[in-house]
Each structure stands twice: as structure tokens, then as C-alpha cells.
Amino acid sequence: MRIFTAALATETNTFSPICIDRRAFEASLYAPPGEHPETPTLCTAPITVGRRVCVEKGWELIEGTATWADPAGLVNRETYEGLRDEILGQLRAAMPVDAVVLGLHGAMVADGYEDPEGDLLTRVRAIVGPDILVCAELDPHSHLTANRAAASNFFVYFKEFPHTDFVDRAEDLWKIAVDTLEGRITPVMSIFDCRMIDVYPTSRDPMRSFVDKLMRIEKEDADVLSLSVIHGFMAGDVPEMGTKLLAVTDGKPEKGASLARELGLELFSHRGTFIMPQIDERQAVDEALAATKGPVVIADVWDNPGGGTAGDATVLLEELLARGATDVAVGTIWDPMAVQICMAAGEGADIPLRFGAKSAPGTGNPVDGTVKVVKLVRDAEMRFGESFAPFGDAAHIRFKGIDIILNSTRAQSFDPSLFSVMGIDPTSKKILVIKSTNHFYASFSKIASEILYCSAGTPYPNNPAKTDYKRAPKNIWPKVDNPHGTEKGAA
């Protein structure tokens, strides 16, 4: 067997002012054929898992380009078309192949392309023809469109949020692919549109129990090859935005459709109960200061670079400064210009600096003052599960008793190693302020005495009932109360 694999991924917040060009992909991950590292990034696990599987099977794995850009706004047209055509050219050169196994995100939007993944997969199908296996692993914070489904045999999505299972799901993807290529199964997809948009952390119920149920069905029913909840991405203003339920069965599309509908309506019946309770910055600082032990983790949930924002909001920092808080570490505030200034000044320097809140309204005010440059790190990285997430050249500064990490490559706060690589012991601090919606939970929960979810400022369109969508579906909860009418389980 000859298998072609590649990855092209980012998550597009269509409301974000930060556009993505080729440099953004190169800053996060750009690996030409054969140069992908041994450890996967979030959307490239099909490549690293595929290496092992193909060695075990004695098959030939032909690697194309793997590239990922941290979430932001619209992707530059020339950038998307250039990376797409690079991968398609590699596929043409590899022909004939027996399968195409891709790593995608699923929420990319480019200038002129509302569904880049659908465009890519349709072009892949045109190259390989109707009989060659085409499959992909995707992030659930994405859009499942008709075009991409029509061009592919099957998809597997991460089940967990935080996405701690991206390697496990790549294993599932390859198992189904191997069984298909060896003639044991015929995967078919059935999709149910839940007609809703919500946030579904699996670190708490009701989503925890729902995902456990999906895995139980997969284990007990031989006809069911994979079940996925496509959460949707509320900051992506595109026509097919929203939550969907995907069932991949072994040649049983009617059974899959019935199961997807049943599970989708069950999910819909819990609408509005999934996301964790949130408090504002004043209450968050009140509770953190009153805590008897630390570290108290305050998650700035909506200034999350993982959702396409800048990650430069200062609303929480301003509240902490106003209260005279110390024994605090903030990670991170994105400000490449301030990092450059700190790099030029050098470690140990005391310098006047303005930093933060440059990207958009609703992110607070720039902070001004004399800071100490404590530590500088070139090409800094933090852990994220089995992989590493770069946050670029970074500066650890100290201002009025608060330790602050400034970074030059936007990245959400995945892991406490974010602090330790910058010379800060996170377990020694009373308060840790991080930028993440829920990906932080898997690692920070291990050291936190308490976790506070804070909604501070308005850097992100976090209320879909009020968001001024132009392209997204109108008949979708919470825009309307019950888009399913009187269907059983929808009330």
C-alpha cells in the first residue's frame, strides 16, 4: 500500500482583526515533506501515528507538507492557495496512491473561501478519483460542511475538550483506514444537524457523561466505527456553522442516521447547560485574594488566542494592579513590540515600557510604567500533552510586584511549563492568570487550589444570541428557542 499524508490547519475567528499570512504558519509549524518532528502538533497526529502504522504493516507512507497556524482571523488568499497547491502538487507527484490520510482543523476561513477544507478535499478527490480512500482527523471546534463530507469516506474528530485525545483519535483514524484498505469494513458517514451553537467542555457534566456514552456505544456496537460531536465554532461566521453529530458505521447509513439523530437531539436537550459558570474580573480578583492557599488559577476565558483573539487584554491585570495584588504571575500578554524592546534592553534592565491592549476595543488599556526585565527566552515553548506549543521570543518582566510574561507568538496557556520556562515557579504563586477557555484544565488542575473562570472585557464574540452574524444560519439555537419544533427530545 502507498499512503499519502499531509496537514493544513488553522482555526479562523472571522471577527478577529489579526489576519494570517504564510509567516504565521511558519511561526507555529511549517514542516516540508519528511521534516515533521517525532512529536505531533494538535492537527498533525495522523502523520506521526501513520509512520508507526505503516512501518508495522510494511506500507509506504508518503509525507507531504504539514503546517499549522495558531488561531486568528482571515487567512490571506495567496497563503491558503499556496499551501493548498503545495500539498496537491505533492499528491500528484505521489500518484498512484491507495489512500489519503489528512490532518485538518476544520474551522479555517480564507479570503475568497468560506470552506477551505471542503475546497482542499474536493480537489484531493478530483486527483485520486472516486475509489481511493480519503479520510481526515479534525478538531471538533469546526464546521462540518456538505462539500467536505461529499469528498471524503470518513472523518474522526477529537472527543475531548481539552483536546487531550488528539493522538488517540489519530489511532482510531488509522485503525478504520487499515481495516478499510484490507477489506474488512466499508465506512459510511451519517450526519445530524443539532441546529445549535454552544461550548462543550468535557471536564464537567453533562458533556463528560455524553462523551463517555459515545465511547461506550463504539465499544459495544460492532456496526459503529466512530461517533463524534462537532461542537462548531461560534466565532466563525459561515453558512454551515453549528453543532453536528457524526456517526461512522460499517455500511449501515440508515442505522447511522437514526443514531446520529437520537444522540443529536439528546445533546440539544441539554442546551445552555454545558459551559462552566463565569464571573467578572472584580469578583475573580476578590475570590483569588480571599483564598487561603494557592495557586488560584484565574482563566481569562474569552481572551483566548486558541479562539483567534490577540491574547493581549489587560482587563484582569488592571484590576490586580488597582487592588495592589502581589505574588501574582500573568501568562501571557501578546506584545511583540514590547518583547523586542525588552530583548534590546537585556536581562536585569529597568526600563519604561508600554505593553498590552493594542489589538481591539474591549481589551482594556495599555499598561505604562517602569518594569524590570527578569528573563529573556528565544523561541520559547510550553508543553501540550505529548507535543510542544511555541510562544515565540518571550520576556518575563516584573511590574509593581506582579510577574508578567510577554510573548511574540500568540498561544493560549496550555501548561504550567509556560511559567517555568520563563523562570517562574507556578506552584509558588498565590495567583496565576492565564489565557484559555478550557484547554488549560488538564494540566493546571493538577496544581491549582482553585480555578476561577473569568469573563473580562469583550475580546471575543462569546454570546451567539447577540452576535451580529452575517452568514451563519438564522434557524439555530440560541438565535431561536427551538429550531427543531416539536421533535422528540428537543423541548
Side-chain angles (χ1 to χ4, degrees):
M1 294 284 181
R2 288 167 49 82
I3 317 294
F4 179 81
T5 187
L8 175 56
T10 192
E11 180 181 64
T12 301
N13 177 341
T14 58
F15 299 90
S16 172
I18 304 166
C19 293
I20 291 180
D21 62 7
R22 190 178 179 96
R23 291 173 300 175
F25 284 91
E26 291 169 349
S28 297
L29 174 73
Y30 176 76
E35 295 185 19
H36 190 285
E38 291 183 9
T39 56
T41 61
L42 192 65
C43 295
T44 66
I47 294 172
T48 56
V49 172
R51 287 173 177 170
R52 177 187 56 75
V53 170
C54 287
V55 167
E56 291 173 355
K57 302 296 294 184
W59 295 352
E60 182 181 0
L61 185 69
I62 304 154
E63 295 185 20
T65 294
T67 188
W68 152 262
D70 278 283
L74 204 65
V75 179
N76 170 285
R77 179 194 290 258
E78 183 179 358
T79 295
Y80 165 64
E81 291 178 342
L83 292 170
R84 175 200 68 191
D85 292 347
E86 182 177 327
I87 291 171
L88 293 175
Q90 293 159 353
L91 173 59
R92 289 190 187 95
M95 292 294 289
V97 298
D98 298 285
V100 177
V101 180
L102 298 175
L104 305 172
H105 183 283
M108 185 189 299
V109 183
D111 179 20
Y113 295 88
E114 288 184 318
D115 181 17
E117 289 89 351
D119 173 63
L120 173 65
L121 288 163
T122 298
R123 292 170 186 269
V124 166
R125 178 59 72 192
I127 291 169
V128 301
D131 300 325
I132 298 301
L133 177 66
V134 176
C135 61
E137 180 188 29
L138 299 100
D139 189 303
H141 293 120
S142 60
H143 318 294
L144 178 47
T145 69
N147 279 346
R148 63 184 71 171
S152 307
N153 295 85
F154 72 93
F155 297 133
V156 172
Y157 291 76
F158 317 150
K159 284 185 170 63
E160 303 292 345
F161 177 37
H163 301 328
T164 54
D165 64 330
F166 60 95
V167 174
D168 292 336
R169 300 292 77 80
E171 297 277 2
D172 293 348
L173 180 82
W174 273 97
K175 183 180 187 307
I176 297 171
V178 168
D179 286 346
T180 303
L181 291 169
E182 294 185 336
R184 287 185 289 275
I185 60 172
T186 304
V188 293
M189 291 192 286
S190 302
I191 301 164
F192 179 78
D193 186 350
C194 301
R195 299 183 199 167
M196 65 190 293
I197 185 66
D198 211 337
V199 179
Y200 307 93
T202 59
S203 48
R204 67 192 298 268
D205 274 335
M207 199 60 186
R208 176 70 267 150
S209 296
F210 190 81
V211 168
D212 290 342
K213 178 178 181 177
L214 299 188
M215 292 191 286
R216 187 167 61 250
I217 294 171
E218 289 174 340
K219 184 177 180 180
E220 295 175 354
D221 190 331
D223 291 335
V224 178
L225 304 177
S226 177
L227 294 171
S228 299
V229 178
I230 295 83
H231 296 194
F233 185 54
M234 68 170 65
D237 188 4
V238 294
E240 293 176 82
M241 184 267 279
T243 303
K244 303 200 170 60
L245 205 299
L246 169 66
V248 181
T249 59
D250 182 8
K252 300 284 196 309
E254 296 84 4
K255 179 175 181 176
S258 176
L259 181 59
R261 180 182 179 277
E262 176 187 335
L263 291 169
L265 289 175
E266 179 182 340
L267 194 72
F268 184 83
S269 72
H270 293 290
R271 63 197 181 278
T273 68
F274 296 98
I275 195 169
M276 65 292 295
Q278 298 162 48
I279 55 181
D280 66 20
E281 65 274 12
R282 292 174 295 278
Q283 185 177 346
V285 173
D286 277 344
E287 294 187 19
L289 291 175
T292 57
K293 64 176 183 176
V296 176
V297 172
I298 305 178
D300 193 351
V301 294
W302 297 120
D303 188 31
N304 173 20
T309 68
D312 71 344
T314 59
V315 177
L316 260 169
L317 176 59
E318 288 182 287
E319 183 67 21
L320 289 160
L321 290 169
R323 305 284 285 277
T326 57
D327 202 14
V328 177
V330 177
T332 59
I333 292 178
W334 179 65
D335 196 326
M337 185 182 298
V339 171
Q340 273 193 336
I341 293 169
C342 292
M343 287 282 181
E347 291 182 357
D350 294 294
I351 60 171
L353 190 68
R354 165 171 282 199
F355 61 92
K358 293 182 173 69
S359 65
T363 58
N365 301 297
V367 177
D368 292 284
T370 299
V371 307
K372 176 173 283 295
V373 181
V374 180
K375 186 176 177 65
L376 301 168
V377 176
R378 295 279 187 187
D379 300 320
E381 293 181 320
M382 67 184 120
R383 292 203 65 88
F384 178 42
E386 297 183 29
S387 66
F388 292 88
F391 56 100
D393 292 349
H396 166 194
I397 63 172
R398 187 167 295 131
F399 179 58
K400 294 187 177 179
I402 296 179
D403 291 285
I404 302 158
I405 299 171
L406 306 176
N407 61 315
S408 55
T409 297
R410 294 175 312 104
Q412 65 177 298
S413 313
F414 288 115
D415 185 87
S417 58
L418 164 70
F419 293 100
S420 56
V421 77
M422 299 306 300
I424 302 168
D425 177 4
T427 62
S428 71
K429 294 296 180 182
K430 173 71 177 294
I431 300 171
L432 298 175
V433 175
I434 60 173
K435 304 289 182 89
S436 179
T437 304
N438 203 48
H439 279 316
F440 73 91
Y441 184 87
S443 55
F444 278 94
S445 62
K446 296 174 183 175
I447 68 167
S449 63
E450 185 178 356
I451 293 175
L452 304 174
Y453 294 86
C454 179
S455 178
T458 55
Y460 183 93
N462 58 41
N463 185 346
K466 297 180 179 180
T467 299
D468 186 22
Y469 294 113
K470 306 298 185 186
R471 304 284 292 151
K474 301 293 189 291
N475 187 30
I476 188 171
W477 181 89
K479 286 292 188 183
V480 298
D481 183 58
N482 189 359
H484 294 286
T486 59
E487 286 193 72
K488 181 181 177 182

